[in-house]
Amino acid sequence: MANEITVNLISGRTIQQGVAIESGKEKPSYRTACGIIEMDPADLKALGAWRNTNVKVTSAYGSVVVKAVEATQGPHPGVAFIPMGPWANSVVSDNTYSTGMPTFKGTPVKVEVAINEPVLLGVELVQKQCGVKVG
Amino acid sequence: MSELIIKNGYVFDPVQGIKGDKKDICIKDGKIVDKVGSSAKVIDAKDKTVMAGAVEIHAHVAGPKVNLGRIYRPEDKLFSCTPTKGMERMGGGASIPTTFKTGYEYAKMGFAVAMEAAMPPLFSRHVHEEIRDTPIIDEGAFPVFGNNWFVLEYLKNQEIENTAAYCAWLLKVTKGYAIKVVNPGGTEAWGWGLNCLTVNDPVPYFDITPAEIVKGLIEANEYLGLPHSMHIHPNNLGNPGCYETTLDTMKIAQGIKPKNKFGREQVLHLTHTQFHSYGGTNWGDFESKAKEITDFVNKNKNITIDTGNVTLDETTTMTADGPFEHHLTGLNHLKWANCDVELETAAGVVPYIYSPSISVCAIQWAIGLEIALMMKDPMRCYITTDHPNAGPFTRYPRVYKWLMSEKARKAQIDSFKHKDKVLSQTVIGTLDREISLYELAQMTRAGPAKSLGLAAMCGGLKPGMDADVAIYNINPDKPVANPDDIEKAFSRCAAFIKSGVQVVSNGEIVNNGNKRTLWVNVKAKENPQVMRDINEKFVKYYSMTQANYEALGHHFVPNPYAIEVDATN
Amino acid sequence: MTKTITDVICPFCGTLCDDVEVVVSDDGKKLLEVANACVIGTEKFLHSQSADRVTKPRLRQEDGSWKTISYDEAADYTAKLLAKAKKPLMYGWSSTNCEAQSVGNEIAEVAKACCDNTAAVCHGTTLIAVQDIGLPTCTLGEVKNRADRVIFWGCNPAHAHPRHMSRYSIFPRGFFTGKGQMSRKLVVVDPRCTDTAKMADIHLQIEQGRDYELLNALRVALKGEWLPDTVAGIPAEKIREAADILKSGRFGIIFFGMGVTQSLSKNHNIDEAIALTKDLNEYTKYSIMPMRGHYNVTGSGEVFAWQFGFPYSVDLTRGFARYNPGDSSSIDLLCRGEVDAVFTIGSDPGAHFPISAVKAIAKVDSVCIDPHITPTSGVSKLHVPVAFNGVETGGNCYRMDNVPIDCRKVVDPPEGMMTDLDFLTMVCNRLKKLKGVA
């Protein structure tokens, strides 16, 4: 039985995210760049997840399936990073506290192993959650 | 194009020496003409005052620091928003109006031309975008030179020709109008958090003094024969005792003769003189030195000034005198914005409340008026508020009221909390002069136009000049019952014609006109050394390429009007 | 034979590099190579040539498929959408030029819309702080020529502004900084050991979300007053060491980003960072600069400000401009269900807004103007592709330090494609007719 852990989620830019958005957000390269969660090795171990396998990330605001990878800019135990994009935004809070700005950095999330669940492509992830019919 | 005739008005035109005669003004194809045909559209100016469109010689209305002021002061828009109405775009801002509102407000007061007082050359594209979006009025912009690395290095070596070549190049690539100098040397020192408070304080590293910068730029200006003179905001602005620095600065101009083909007779224009006329040693013994300053300018006829009148409003100060703004926020603790500009200049912005209950503010108010009242030649003294520094330009009519009515001045003085101090520290209580309508026309039209080298084009109603004509609801034949009527009349003209097209009728905008951007195109001698120096500094020190610095395409200046200057002699 | 176009401006991020060179085919039609741009900029230029571009407007059908329509029909649809809507939201603007932004403002004024730009999810909180406390700043050339102390707080330029450090902040040899990188000390504050932090002289690995406390502690340390043993996970001695480094410079610059604008304290973080900058000016010379994201979000803020008086989140619904972030800001408007039509341009809220706000966009009638296929176009009713600004059309843009640079056109857009400026002008004229306005 797989564990689940709670981590503090932040999101932000990466070079790969930048290149991928210019190539096209409908493409697999966008999912490769942004449909991931970078976790500190200590957190991966606590979770009991293999590197490069899928996990489900859940917050009070939603959930999303992404690929768990080892942190590239660590160590940062307790902090997890999903590059900015629709995967991260499936779980961040829309509460702006009257500033207009959502809290993209600092969302408590639960991460659990979801090895058989697929990571969706960028555009389809958003369309699915919005209930948009795709012909 | 259409013909217009303005009939039955009382005309005040210093260019032709007309002092209130009833005269018809004829307009054809955008110019004043001797006569028009019978099918000309008639505008009846019966019982009204007719003058040429006014000329604003110094205001901060377009550019990065102006917009920084707008961005960081949302509260400036409270209660001052105007909705979209007919052809008027919406507007807002009491001390820093949005660009559409700026154009409309100037036009509604009968202004034809406004000069943006300080353009940081790196930001010329921004200044021109805002000028383009300011409707109706013609505008120009003054690039700043007094802290520019090229100028500092050339003048250190006393290379006037090279300085002039650089100035000509910069005016061309920025489509600028004149050589503006702000806190010479001090703003470069501010790049290290320092300043130059006297004309002899050397600039860190560059080791040149403000006096040398001022002299060199006056000489470069005359070498090129530009339409306007060097236009200066001296060192030490706003400090008690600063009048000495002002006198030291003006002395540099003594003995220098103007050289130009535009009828300009001054070699130095001292701007917002009020801020530079302070005596005393601290805010407690702060006093007016307007007499000392005006005595000097009265005697030295190669100098023109503008007043910089305080209007007793909440406003926003903004200037390329970066260190001064830091000093000001230290005094009033209101939010401070600053931007240092590589190789060129800086800017600072701080809100300010000129409260009539504060003796210093009341004395400042008095100083501005003293200057105008003690200057003997109205053709060399122009009314401004250094908008928005001493007050918004929309308060000009109130300043006219104070100048034209001793009763209005007395009422204001009587209302001051520290009336006695104002009377003891200034001579405002002893001045009974009242500016006449003719003198007002000199101080707001003919005078500034002449100083700018635009005497042939604007500021008057002589046939051949641009048809910029303002009609005010003030009857010179009737004595003024209430001084507030002066303010009311000049706030909203009965009609305003710009370049031959009626743009304002009964205080409302009826046409957006076709504004022009005035700039000075100098044909100068080839100077390979200066061009090499420019190339080198772009490669090594600027953060932008030279080609992109020079890019100022048509979409920035859609209706340019170049004043040609041949400096190749 | 090929042609090399020099002094090209890269239209990706706020660094707005203007030394890019693009090699095009002799007939000027094909973009072959890009030099000097970072990998992201290079991709932007090269991808504009990809064969799979959407080149015609398309309207979503009942069954979810797209139907291709003409620009003419698209302009009609857009004008009608804006004319009909009671409270439309016109969002984005950050990846287009100032001329287009200006026409967009005219449309918003006629349509009585709410208009907003991507500062809403980026440096909007910076703008709020600036409106409270001011902003001592400078141009990037001042950093290049004078700065000997550089702080990156809550930003990761190695990833987000890749050439920033080589063009302006760390490596260049400027007039007073002839030793380049050796002239400067770098302090990085970040909860992760980012690729930027790896270059730092000091990396303060702060507890995420505790920036306010650390900024405040630095202000205290500057004054030499008492500090607790740790603040925000950083030991007091390290805080004092950092304060000494900051204070001992002769020209310092604090660059900051989303780490402080988007974490919980938001504008209060920036307030404190600006206060720290002001305090430092008591000892030496300091400036602070936001690392703006999109290449022309700054421009959108400037154009909004000189035309309407406010830099973002502008509400024109009453016929004059109002501004109240939290009330007039995009995400709040969407999440409260107050918007009945959405017009997006030069941005991708579908990818970068919280999903609940995107659901609100999907619910209403919408137009998305974007050369790319994006999550926004994926949930919009009308997708209008336009020429890539800065590649296929020029126009003025503003860098992160507010310096205006006029982008260049290097190739033509694909046959038949419009620029956003031309499309917006069509929409504006039709909207004015519908509203009976001159």
Side-chain angles (χ1 to χ4, degrees), chain A residues 8 23 25 73 89 94 101, chain C residues 43 195 208 266 348 351 356:
Chain A
N8 182 14
S23 302
K25 291 180 174 123
Q73 298 181 77
N89 289 327
D94 58 6
M101 171 74 73
Chain C
E43 179 65 22
D195 291 330
Q208 194 277 324
K266 307 194 194 188
D348 188 6
S356 54

Side-chain angles (χ1 to χ4, degrees), chain C residues 270-282:
Chain C
I270 316 308
D271 217 295
E272 201 61 15
I274 296 173
L276 171 62
T277 311
K278 280 179 67 170
D279 287 355
L280 282 161
N281 274 298
E282 299 300 313

Side-chain angles (χ1 to χ4, degrees), chain A residues 18-123:
Chain A
V19 174
I21 64 177
E22 292 305 330
S23 302
K25 291 180 174 123
E26 77 285 12
K27 299 203 168 75
S29 57
Y30 191 40
R31 174 176 55 194
T32 308
C34 301
I36 59 172
I37 181 167
E38 291 196 17
M39 291 170 64
D40 189 274
D43 295 324
L44 282 169
K45 187 166 179 195
L47 174 58
W50 292 103
R51 281 154 185 60
N52 304 316
T53 62
N54 294 352
V55 296
K56 182 166 168 191
V57 179
T58 309
S59 74
Y61 314 102
S63 73
V64 70
V65 175
V66 287
K67 183 172 8 177
V69 302
E70 183 167 332
T72 57
Q73 298 181 77
H76 48 73
V79 171
F81 177 84
I82 300 182
M84 61 188 279
W87 295 271
N89 289 327
S90 301
V91 295
V92 306
S93 162
D94 58 6
N95 186 352
T96 76
Y97 297 90
S98 277
T99 66
M101 171 74 73
T103 315
F104 292 108
K105 302 222 187 227
T107 312
V109 295
K110 179 181 74 175
V111 184
E112 47 189 333
V113 171
I115 211 159
N116 293 314
E117 294 188 46
V119 181
L120 298 180
L121 290 170
V123 177

Side-chain angles (χ1 to χ4, degrees), chain B residues 288-323:
Chain B
S288 164
K289 289 293 186 185
K291 178 162 196 324
E292 283 73 5
I293 296 296
T294 51
D295 278 350
F296 187 95
V297 184
N298 282 332
K299 279 207 233 6
N300 288 272
K301 304 201 193 280
N302 65 349
I303 295 176
T304 55
I305 67 172
D306 67 82
T307 51
N309 288 96
V310 165
T311 63
L312 300 170
D313 285 297
E314 174 188 321
T315 188
T316 312
T317 66
M318 54 177 68
T319 167
D321 193 334

Side-chain angles (χ1 to χ4, degrees), chain B residues 332-347:
Chain B
N332 73 1
H333 304 292
L334 295 178
K335 52 190 170 180
W336 166 58
N338 178 82
C339 182
D340 299 304
V341 181
E342 63 213 57
L343 284 84
E344 295 179 353
T345 180

Side-chain angles (χ1 to χ4, degrees), chain B residues 60-76:
Chain B
H60 300 276
V61 287
K65 67 177 182 295
V66 180
N67 220 24
L68 181 51
R70 292 188 188 106
I71 287 170
Y72 102 139
R73 294 205 74 194
E75 71 274 13
D76 190 51

